[in-house]
Amino acid sequence: MANNTLITLTDVQLAYGHHPLLDHADFVIQEGERIGLIGRNGAGKSSLLRLLDGRNVPDDGDIARNSGLTVATVEQEPELDEDATVFEVVLDRDDDHEDWQRPSLVQSLLERLGLPGDARISELSGGMRKRVALARALANEPDLLLLDEPTNHLDFNGIAWLEDLLRNWRGAAIIITHDRRFLDAITTRIVELDRGKLLSFPGNFSQWQERKAQWLESERLENARFDKLLAQEEVWIRKGVEARRTRNEGRVRRLEQLRVDRAERRDRLGNVSLAIAEGKRSGKLVAELENVSKAFGERVVIREYSTTLMRGDRIGIIGPNGAGKTTLLKIMLGELAPDSGTVRMGTNVSVAYFDQMRAQLDENATLVDIINPGSEWIEIGGTRKHVMSYLGDFLFSPARAGSPVSSLSGGERARLLLARLFARPTNVLVLDEPTNDLDIETLELLEELLQEYTGTVLLVSHDRAFLNNVVTQTIASEGDGQWRDYVGGYDEWVAQRPAAPTPSSEANKSVRPTNPSSESAALAPPAKPARVAKLSSWEQRELQELPDTIATIEARQAALSARLADGALYRDAPDEVERINAELATLDTQLEEKFARWELLEARRGNP
């Protein structure tokens, strides 16, 4: 095994019942990589982590680990000793450490991560617990860090903290997350678990989206060619006499193999189908808050806040953990009375509530009972639908319809709660951290649904991309119980919010130009633009050829991306992986240059 390779999976198989999670999968993890592991709920991502850290073994295949490799895992819901202090948990005496320097190292780590060493675990929020679990993993200085949904329960500050930590992490890391902005910020490679195979794509999530689209189109064309060949051979075999001739036995055997290959081909699963049973329209006014205040003991969470919610508003409510977002929601909905101020509710308001704790789900109830107890039919958008068909829209098979809620994974519970939520006539949707446990494809479908929803949406989320794609207005915590309204989503809030304190003069010096002339040039007014000359004959020729040139570059990118999707390449030819990545980087640069040149020439051609 090469020195820079940490773990190699070769022809690995893993199944639960008849459902293969890994189907002859190959995977290589190298030093310093930050891999984003994505895939649908139930695809087997968490099971793969358990294979990598040794908690589980595969049904077949080989897992080779570098000698002396240390692996640390942080689960979605870390189990921590409630009675212990933060320092005691991170010190982790259960691991039989003999290093006498460890206590001082742990104390240094806690100071660097901003964690209170003397605080009891029972006193901590979900976000702080996640930080403690990360600190415990980092204290062992692992070669490979495995993180399962690390951004769940973290607020914006916590997510930024984790992004910075991982960017400066010298070991390798594999991260399961649905947070697309987070993946863009920290990953060097995306690995998708799809129908039992591990498909590798260099770069971050946005780059994966482009290359995956190309890869899926290549797969579609290849499957279409395969199906056409199979159909032709099936026609031939039915001719009878010619097929039975000795000289055609090889063709008969090929047809038999084609049939086997077709049976084994695992076509892409269907998408979740989302639709909302919209109720009677609410009045134009949904709720009006005037000088509302709320405190718990001496802690003021809302201080003299006023706002108006109108029918059709899609509002994001953002702020750090503990700021009072859920409290503000309950006051808006009339479920909690303010200490002072007035709340006026609109008419015909019908609310559906998506609870981040999934508390609405009875553990002992069946899936059918959760959706529509006592009836086999539901009304969705004016259409009558059988409950089994409706559950199928959310990827629950008829065989699972009678299963209890207790048998579901976190992602399945989230899908079931969405199914229940959307089956009830409503005109106000309240979504409290809906993105936790949902896979990326379901998130994107939910975004489309909410964009088309004609009712009112109130959304609490720390998913920056989701906020940007859904909300048209943001209510943000400003600290000390102050709340303020902003137009737009997360990025607009970042642009409009009050400026941070002015940096020190030393910080200003660090970014000041060293060349005096460059500083004066930056302060000088912009020069008057010169008149642009018309295109020469050779430039006109270049402009005509640019689309074909760009298409050639994009075709080469697609071909290279398809090669990198083969996990075996990382094991058998790591030097080739580096060469392909280098060529892709060069092609990206060339493509940017060609597009820039095209834009320039087009602008000049249109210049009078």
Side-chain angles (χ1 to χ4, degrees), residues 173-473:
I174 297 180
I175 305 104
I176 297 174
T177 182
H178 60 266
D179 190 321
R180 294 156 286 180
R181 288 279 286 264
F182 187 76
L183 287 168
D184 269 347
I186 58 101
T187 55
T188 59
R189 177 159 63 116
I190 297 292
V191 172
E192 183 184 16
L193 179 51
D194 182 15
R195 292 164 285 173
K197 302 296 185 185
L198 291 163
L199 310 172
S200 293
F201 299 84
N204 60 20
F205 179 77
S206 294
Q207 293 165 325
W208 166 82
Q209 283 185 308
E210 297 173 9
R211 288 171 179 155
K212 180 63 186 295
Q214 298 166 352
W215 185 85
L216 283 175
E217 178 62 14
S218 299
E219 183 188 49
R220 185 189 68 79
L221 293 173
E222 180 61 30
N223 286 343
R225 284 192 291 268
F226 179 96
D227 293 340
K228 183 178 180 180
L229 174 61
L230 177 58
Q232 290 170 344
E233 295 300 286
E234 292 287 5
V235 169
W236 170 80
I237 196 68
R238 283 168 177 76
K239 290 181 179 178
V241 175
E242 183 184 2
R244 285 193 292 271
R245 291 177 183 170
T246 303
R247 61 188 175 89
N248 283 318
E249 283 184 359
R251 190 170 177 181
V252 174
R253 286 195 299 271
R254 184 179 72 160
L255 173 57
E256 291 172 350
Q257 185 59 47
L258 284 173
R259 288 169 173 169
V260 171
D261 291 344
R262 181 62 185 86
E264 290 182 348
R265 192 172 86 202
R266 299 178 65 195
D267 288 321
R268 188 164 180 78
L269 296 172
N271 288 322
V272 174
S273 176
L274 301 181
I276 298 179
E278 295 191 24
K280 183 179 178 182
R281 290 179 66 181
S282 69
K284 189 174 182 181
L285 175 72
V286 174
E288 183 179 56
L289 280 64
E290 187 171 351
N291 295 325
V292 164
S293 295
K294 184 68 180 178
F296 296 97
E298 296 182 358
R299 181 169 164 266
V300 179
V301 293
I302 303 172
R303 191 185 301 273
E304 296 186 351
Y305 173 62
S306 301
T307 195
T308 302
L309 278 60
M310 307 299 292
R311 183 180 65 233
D313 284 349
R314 298 199 301 271
I315 299 173
I317 301 176
I318 64 178
N321 291 336
K325 299 185 292 294
T326 302
T327 299
L328 180 58
L329 264 182
K330 289 181 177 179
I331 289 176
M332 287 177 169
L333 299 173
E335 296 178 2
L336 182 65
D339 297 338
S340 61
T342 60
V343 178
R344 182 161 69 98
M345 300 300 297
T347 57
N348 297 325
V349 174
S350 174
V351 178
Y353 200 102
F354 185 99
D355 175 19
Q356 65 168 312
M357 303 309 293
R358 319 292 190 252
Q360 302 168 41
L361 299 178
D362 181 351
E363 292 289 311
N364 298 317
T366 65
L367 275 59
V368 169
D369 288 338
I370 290 292
I371 298 300
N372 210 26
S375 175
E376 295 183 358
W377 300 91
I378 56 176
E379 294 280 343
I380 298 289
T383 303
R384 196 162 180 255
K385 201 164 195 175
H386 195 276
V387 68
M388 292 293 190
S389 174
Y390 183 67
L391 280 170
D393 289 343
F394 289 82
L395 303 184
F396 293 110
S397 67
R400 301 204 57 191
S403 301
V405 169
S406 58
S407 69
L408 301 182
S409 67
E412 289 172 330
R413 286 167 185 256
R415 286 208 310 268
L416 181 63
L417 190 51
L418 285 175
R420 172 192 169 100
L421 186 77
F422 295 163
R424 280 141 177 74
T426 179
N427 52 41
V428 177
L429 278 179
V430 181
L431 306 173
D432 194 351
E433 295 290 359
T435 64
N436 288 355
D437 303 319
L438 291 181
D439 58 52
I440 291 171
E441 288 187 44
T442 306
L443 277 182
E444 291 175 343
L445 287 167
L446 180 58
E447 287 173 352
E448 293 177 16
L449 183 75
L450 294 176
Q451 288 163 2
E452 297 170 0
Y453 180 57
T454 59
T456 305
V457 176
L458 299 175
L459 169 65
V460 175
S461 179
H462 294 120
D463 188 317
R464 296 157 291 181
F466 194 77
L467 285 165
N468 279 338
N469 294 336
V470 171
V471 306
T472 56
Q473 179 184 340

